[in-house]
Amino acid sequence: MESSELDKTLHKYIDAFLGVPAANDYDESGRRDGLAHFFRDIASSNIAPTALRDESAIIGEMQKRVAGSGRGTRSALQVSRLCGLLQQQNPGFNWWPVLYLLLECSTSAVLPKIAAAPSSYISNHHNRVHGSRYDSRTSPMLSPPQPGLHSQQRHDLGIPRYGTPSAIPHGMSEFAGGNTSALPAQAYSRGELGNPASNAPPPEEQSNAYLHRNLPTYDDVSEAALLQDLIYVLQGIDGTYVHWNSMTSSYTVNPEVKLSRPTRAMVTLLSELGGLTRDVQSYISEVERDGRLFEQSFCTELKVEMSTYYKLVSEIEGRLFKVPRTLRPGESQLGVTLRRMYCWTTEARQKLRLMATAIAKVQEGSGGGTVLSTISTLVDDGDPFIQSFAKRLLKTASAPFNHILVSWVTDGELVDPYKEFFIRERESRRDMFWSEKYTVASDMIPVHISGDMTRKIFQIGRSLNFLRVACDDAQWVAEGGPRTQLTGDISDTSDLEAFVYRSSSMVNGRLMSVLRDKFDLMGHIEAIRRYLLFEQGDFALALMEVLENQMDRSGRSVMAHDLSAVLSSATRSSNAQHENPDRLSAIVLTFQEEGTKNRGWNEVTLTYNLSAPLSYVIPRSTMRQYFEVSHFLLRLRRIEHSLHTIWRHQMTESRAYLRSEELQRRKGTARDGDKQADPLRQAMRQSSIACSEMIQFFHQVQRYIALNVIEGAWGEFIESTKEEIDIDSWNDAHSKYVDVIHEVVCGGSGPGFQRNLSGIFETTLRFISAVKELYNEQALSARRATSGAGAPAKENRESLSERLMRLRTSGNLFGSGQAAADPAAEHASQVRSTILRFKEQVKDIMRVLSHNTTSDLQFLVVTIDFNGTYTASA
């Protein structure tokens, strides 16, 4: 086979570089034939040269390489002198290919291979001197040439393979996001390339067809034209070859333009900046048109970042047609290349991606604090770049939030025109000023503010507002409030937390001091306990006596001013007259419903009217519980007082009857009413015993409520409010105190005294009425027995009897409109039935209370049935 001129020339270069081989060394000749065949494939390929055809630039690069290798400036000057001698030998000759070849040979990744090759590559004579022989197993470069192994040899020598237009070239993985391997030269420099044979391509790729298939093609559009288009695309403007695709929401290259795969991939990556720019600018325009305060502040930082980005684009555009002074081998004559543009915009791309991500999350939220929460999640990222960028965004975006927060925690004023703060103001009744005027919107709380800090911030502002508006303490808020504790910026979370905790202690202490000292909070609560809950015994007794005398009149004739007179009389008759006038004026005796016609005992109630600002602090529901308990205790006191009155009357009548009987016995005269006296005396005796039982029962119930329930809950309430607490904690303790009393007395969610004793109350009232009628009948019998036989007395007796018969008939006590045949027997029967009914009801309530395991109600059962009366009769 005849060698071509190209083969001869390649052999000359190889021999000049490696030396002349021995005449009989066929192995070495075969290896050099393989190298020549490999170089011929490279020379005949369609790879476009990327080197700049500038001799001076190449010489400058050679000088830099020599100087950078540690040889000093003298060697760099020697390179310049030698290149000058070459140009003097043949001034018309184009020396740049030769110089470029020398430069590439000095910097190529092949050099480590050649340096590590056997010395026969350098000099056969040197190999003979050292006696070194290497076979094909020690170095793949020394093996005989084999067909189809050119691509394998190229890979083993560290020479990169170039891809086809449909393949991403090696070394582009960081741009295209693929899994392609790095350049072999880079791999050698990093020490990542081990045994060359282990990195060989698969067998199906080891062919000349594979080498030619992977060769790139030329682009239809020059790099300069693409760069000009990308300058517009980076600003979100369509170019000549790159347009916005609304279907994919991204910039795409015109399909009619033919570009190689690497070029198209690079243009696509750079076009991503244009899509991100459009998204950010669209959001900024939308917020400027109708955005809220937090979003506008967020966009302020976005504008700053976009201004920096546009400056970068302007700088790239300015360098586009500015040729660098020195060019590295393979660099374009343009001042900017696609790869340079990609590298220069790497940081800007990360920022735009972060901004687009933050914008998307902000748009998903409801605004307000969610904007800060979205950015705060980026601050916690482990990437320092993302963290620093997110901190700048958060600092600017949180400016309006911090302004509202400072106004709230220093002055108690909520300046939130767009309802973006996590505290909301709403319209409420005047008496709900403290509890319902302000609320917390949990979905607006930023993530960097904890739950405890949120509660304290809410408490501080609400307390300051309450001090200014309700307590008339605006001077302290302005001069001695939390503003004096504000020493620096609270944008930092740790500084904000320290300020909030200091201010919380100060404001809560001031509010509790004002309410206790200026408005006598605890004094009013104690007055409620003594008078509404009847813990002041002399006041309760005086009130029952005066009220009973007033209520014995016709119910319709009792008016509101009559009840006021009753309360005033009871106050003057007890130690309550020495009470604080403000507390006494708050006690009111009135009817539950003003418009009712039947104003009896059941409608009378004792209330306590708190004045502002105490009426704002204590909820209406708590005061309603007080009134319900007071109404029950008033009925209990009334029944107990009525039973005591009946008992005193019984004792008086009993003594009078015994004296009368003794006088009759001494006179030796018979009594006319003996037939009626026996049932009356038996009924009176039974009623006296039953009255004592009822008194003991109600006394035990009243004692249990007063001592075990009210006093026990009061002691726990006082103990829990000794420490320095805020008004909400005080309210919680007070509500717990009232709830305990209300639960036992009125039942709440379970059975209480009010439900269990309602039937006993009715039975006791019927017993009191029946006993009164019984004693009226006894009084009539006594008058008949003690009257003389004269006509005036007879007429008087008949007149009294007729009057009683007329009252019975008009009252229709027996349902027939006719008088009873035996009134004494009837009253006695009614008393006995009422007594039996009372005992049955007591047994029922004892049975209910004995099954209660949540309190010491079982001990109450023991005190009621201390002698086993009800248990034995069960």
Side-chain angles (χ1 to χ4, degrees):
M1 178 177 171
E2 185 177 356
S3 299
S4 62
E5 288 294 324
L6 178 60
D7 291 334
K8 295 178 181 179
T9 304
L10 290 175
H11 278 285
K12 289 181 181 180
Y13 275 108
I14 293 172
D15 293 340
F17 187 78
L18 300 178
V20 179
N24 298 327
D25 194 350
Y26 297 104
D27 293 337
E28 180 67 14
S29 298
R31 285 191 288 271
R32 296 197 180 194
D33 290 339
L35 287 175
H37 189 274
F38 177 74
F39 292 145
R40 185 174 63 248
D41 289 340
I42 295 177
S44 61
S45 65
N46 294 327
I47 300 176
T50 59
L52 180 64
R53 301 182 181 185
D54 189 351
E55 295 179 3
S56 60
I58 297 176
I59 294 172
E61 183 65 19
M62 295 172 71
Q63 290 178 330
K64 290 170 60 178
R65 293 299 179 102
V66 172
S69 63
R71 300 177 184 177
T73 57
R74 186 180 296 276
S75 298
L77 294 175
Q78 183 68 14
V79 171
S80 178
R81 189 180 66 81
L82 292 176
C83 291
L85 291 176
L86 286 176
Q87 292 175 350
Q88 289 178 5
Q89 291 295 330
N90 191 353
F93 184 78
N94 190 5
W95 289 99
W96 80 266
V98 179
L99 297 176
Y100 182 74
L101 178 61
L102 294 174
L103 177 63
E104 286 298 297
C105 288
S106 65
T107 59
S108 175
V110 182
L111 292 180
K113 281 287 186 175
I114 297 176
S119 56
S120 62
Y121 257 95
I122 309 300
S123 172
N124 290 329
H125 176 71
H126 185 74
N127 291 336
R128 293 189 187 97
V129 171
H130 291 80
S132 300
R133 291 294 179 180
Y134 296 87
D135 54 14
S136 60
R137 291 175 296 177
T138 60
S139 176
M141 294 182 62
L142 301 178
S143 60
Q146 300 178 13
L149 294 179
H150 303 298
S151 60
Q152 173 69 31
Q153 294 169 353
R154 293 179 64 216
H155 185 77
D156 292 341
L157 290 173
I159 301 176
R161 291 191 298 266
Y162 293 87
T164 62
S166 62
I168 299 177
H170 294 283
M172 287 294 292
S173 60
E174 65 271 30
F175 302 114
N179 294 324
T180 57
S181 61
L183 286 172
Q186 299 171 352
Y188 273 114
S189 63
R190 295 192 300 263
E192 298 172 359
L193 208 57
N195 184 14
S198 64
N199 296 324
E204 61 271 10
E205 297 180 6
Q206 300 177 0
S207 63
N208 293 329
Y210 177 78
L211 175 65
H212 292 285
R213 185 174 69 249
N214 287 340
L215 294 177
T217 59
Y218 291 100
D219 298 328
D220 290 348
V221 182
S222 64
E223 188 176 15
L226 289 176
L227 289 170
Q228 288 181 351
D229 248 26
L230 288 174
I231 292 296
Y232 290 101
V233 172
L234 293 181
Q235 304 175 64
I237 305 173
D238 289 357
T240 304
Y241 308 104
V242 183
H243 305 280
W244 176 257
N245 189 342
S246 58
M247 299 293 295
T248 60
S249 298
S250 62
Y251 279 98
T252 56
V253 182
N254 191 343
E256 299 178 357
V257 178
K258 185 178 181 182
L259 297 176
S260 63
R261 178 69 178 272
T263 304
R264 185 178 295 274
M266 185 64 68
V267 172
T268 302
L269 288 173
L270 290 170
S271 300
E272 180 189 2
L273 294 168
L276 296 174
T277 301
R278 286 175 63 100
D279 294 341
V280 175
Q281 287 293 353
S282 174
Y283 176 75
I284 291 176
S285 302
E286 179 183 353
V287 171
E288 287 179 345
R289 184 172 58 255
D290 52 3
R292 293 184 291 182
L293 194 60
F294 285 21
E295 295 172 347
Q296 292 176 6
S297 180
F298 173 56
C299 286
T300 301
E301 184 62 26
L302 295 182
K303 291 179 182 178
V304 173
E305 295 296 335
M306 292 305 296
S307 299
T308 305
Y309 170 73
Y310 286 135
K311 288 180 182 178
L312 174 63
V313 175
S314 177
E315 185 178 354
I316 294 174
E317 184 179 11
R319 293 186 180 185
L320 184 59
F321 299 105
K322 184 179 180 180
V323 181
R325 292 183 179 181
T326 59
L327 292 175
R328 296 181 180 180
E331 290 183 342
S332 173
Q333 295 183 2
L334 299 173
V336 180
T337 62
L338 291 176
R339 291 197 177 189
R340 284 182 179 177
M341 180 179 288
Y342 179 86
C343 293
W344 291 345
T345 58
T346 299
E347 183 177 348
R349 182 180 299 102
Q350 293 180 1
K351 290 183 179 180
L352 287 173
R353 287 174 178 173
L354 286 175
M355 288 189 284
T357 301
I359 289 172
K361 291 184 178 180
V362 166
Q363 290 177 333
E364 292 176 359
S366 56
T370 57
V371 177
L372 306 183
S373 299
T374 300
I375 305 175
S376 296
T377 56
L378 299 177
V379 174
D380 297 333
D381 194 277
D383 190 343
F385 173 80
I386 298 177
Q387 193 177 81
S388 61
F389 179 74
K391 284 182 178 179
R392 294 198 303 271
L393 282 179
L394 182 62
K395 184 176 182 180
T396 306
S398 61
F401 175 84
N402 293 335
H403 176 73
I404 299 174
L405 180 60
V406 168
S407 177
W408 174 253
V409 298
T410 56
D411 299 326
E413 295 182 359
L414 186 61
V415 185
D416 186 19
Y418 295 102
K419 307 297 182 184
E420 296 178 287
F421 199 56
F422 63 86
I423 296 176
R424 300 286 177 81
E425 182 178 3
R426 62 181 182 181
E427 296 293 334
S428 61
R429 298 194 305 267
R430 185 70 178 177
D431 57 341
M432 308 297 288
F433 182 83
W434 172 260
S435 59
E436 294 187 0
K437 184 177 182 180
Y438 295 102
T439 57
V440 175
S442 57
D443 58 332
M444 291 293 182
I445 302 175
V447 295
H448 64 276
I449 296 181
S450 62
D452 184 59
M453 192 186 301
T454 300
R455 189 186 69 83
K456 289 186 178 296
I457 291 173
F458 176 69
Q459 185 75 12
I460 291 172
R462 185 171 58 157
S463 300
L464 290 173
N465 183 270
F466 193 78
L467 285 171
R468 286 192 305 104
V469 178
C471 300
D472 195 20
D473 200 20
Q475 183 177 0
W476 180 88
V477 174
E479 298 177 359
R483 188 172 292 277
T484 59
Q485 302 291 325
L486 187 61
T487 57
D489 188 15
I490 62 173
S491 57
D492 186 75
T493 305
S494 59
D495 295 339
L496 173 63
E497 184 174 359
F499 170 73
V500 167
Y501 277 87
R502 290 195 307 268
S503 302
S504 176
S505 177
M506 174 191 295
V507 174
N508 291 330
R510 178 65 180 183
L511 180 57
M512 290 303 299
S513 176
V514 169
L515 291 177
R516 283 175 173 171
D517 301 338
K518 184 178 179 179
F519 297 100
D520 194 21
L521 175 62
M522 293 303 297
H524 283 282
I525 299 300
E526 189 173 359
I528 292 175
R529 179 182 67 89
R530 290 206 307 266
Y531 301 116
L532 253 68
L533 304 184
F534 298 100
E535 291 293 288
Q536 183 96 8
D538 57 342
F539 171 78
L541 181 60
L543 180 64
M544 293 300 106
E545 291 178 353
V546 180
L547 188 59
E548 186 177 25
N549 295 331
Q550 184 68 34
M551 295 304 295
D552 284 342
R553 301 165 51 189
S554 176
R556 295 185 180 182
S557 62
V558 178
M559 307 298 292
H561 64 273
D562 297 327
L563 296 181
S564 299
V566 168
L567 180 62
S568 178
S569 177
T571 303
R572 291 193 302 269
S573 302
S574 63
N575 287 330
Q577 59 183 327
H578 306 296
E579 187 61 77
N580 189 314
D582 294 335
R583 303 174 191 175
L584 286 178
S585 61
I587 305 173
V588 179
L589 186 65
T590 182
F591 294 103
Q592 282 188 326
E593 298 181 7
E594 293 294 337
T596 183
K597 295 181 179 179
N598 185 16
R599 293 183 173 181
W601 272 98
N602 292 336
E603 299 298 326
V604 177
T605 185
L606 197 64
T607 62
Y608 197 94
N609 295 333
L610 289 172
S611 59
L614 300 183
S615 59
Y616 305 154
V617 175
I618 301 177
R620 295 182 63 184
S621 58
T622 302
M623 296 305 299
R624 190 179 302 110
Q625 289 178 325
Y626 269 128
F627 300 155
E628 292 177 0
V629 173
S630 177
H631 182 67
F632 172 80
L633 294 178
L634 180 64
R635 294 180 61 193
L636 182 63
R637 289 276 184 172
R638 176 244 175 151
I639 292 176
E640 187 179 11
H641 182 268
S642 299
L643 288 173
H644 281 290
T645 303
I646 292 295
W647 182 82
R648 288 195 302 268
H649 185 64
Q650 286 176 338
M651 295 299 102
T652 303
E653 292 294 333
S654 177
R655 292 189 183 94
Y657 177 78
L658 291 176
R659 286 195 301 269
S660 175
E661 188 177 44
E662 181 66 21
L663 290 174
Q664 294 293 336
R665 185 181 64 80
R666 289 179 181 180
K667 291 180 180 180
T669 59
R671 299 181 57 181
D672 296 336
D674 288 341
K675 293 183 179 180
Q676 294 183 357
D678 292 337
L680 283 176
R681 282 198 301 270
Q682 293 177 2
M684 289 171 62
R685 180 177 177 81
Q686 292 177 351
S687 66
S688 178
I689 297 173
C691 183
S692 299
E693 293 180 3
M694 292 180 182
I695 290 175
Q696 193 270 344
F697 172 79
F698 285 108
H699 176 73
Q700 292 298 331
V701 172
Q702 189 273 333
R703 181 205 58 80
Y704 173 79
I705 294 175
L707 299 181
N708 294 57
V709 179
I710 298 178
E711 288 299 327
W714 175 259
E716 294 180 359
F717 169 64
I718 294 298
E719 187 66 25
S720 61
T721 55
K722 282 183 178 180
E723 301 178 356
E724 292 295 333
I725 58 176
D726 56 29
I727 190 62
D728 280 339
S729 300
W730 184 92
N731 244 335
D732 293 340
H734 180 245
S735 298
K736 181 181 178 181
Y737 155 70
V738 179
D739 288 340
V740 169
I741 300 174
H742 186 269
E743 182 74 20
V744 175
V745 174
C746 300
S749 59
F753 281 114
Q754 186 174 9
R755 297 181 183 180
N756 293 321
L757 296 181
S758 58
I760 296 181
F761 282 171
E762 297 298 330
T763 303
T764 306
L765 291 175
R766 286 197 295 269
F767 170 79
I768 293 172
S769 176
V771 169
K772 287 182 179 180
E773 292 182 1
L774 180 65
Y775 276 93
N776 288 335
E777 186 66 28
Q778 189 270 341
L780 291 176
S781 299
R783 288 175 184 176
R784 287 195 298 268
T786 57
S787 62
K794 183 178 179 180
E795 293 177 0
N796 187 22
R797 183 173 64 251
E798 292 177 354
S799 175
L800 185 60
S801 300
E802 290 176 358
R803 191 183 313 127
L804 181 61
M805 295 291 284
R806 187 165 55 252
L807 289 174
R808 292 170 182 160
T809 304
S810 61
N812 197 16
L813 297 176
F814 309 103
S816 61
Q818 297 179 359
D822 190 357
E826 176 204 345
H827 294 316
S829 175
Q830 187 176 3
V831 168
R832 284 191 293 269
S833 63
T834 307
I835 293 173
L836 292 176
R837 175 63 178 164
F838 171 78
K839 290 184 177 182
E840 291 296 329
Q841 289 176 336
V842 171
K843 292 177 184 178
D844 293 340
I845 192 172
M846 289 177 60
R847 192 161 41 250
V848 172
L849 296 179
S850 62
H851 291 85
N852 192 307
T853 59
T854 59
S855 63
D856 53 350
L857 286 174
Q858 293 181 355
F859 183 72
L860 175 62
V861 176
V862 176
T863 57
I864 293 175
D865 192 24
F866 67 95
N867 57 355
T869 301
Y870 301 101
T871 307
S873 61

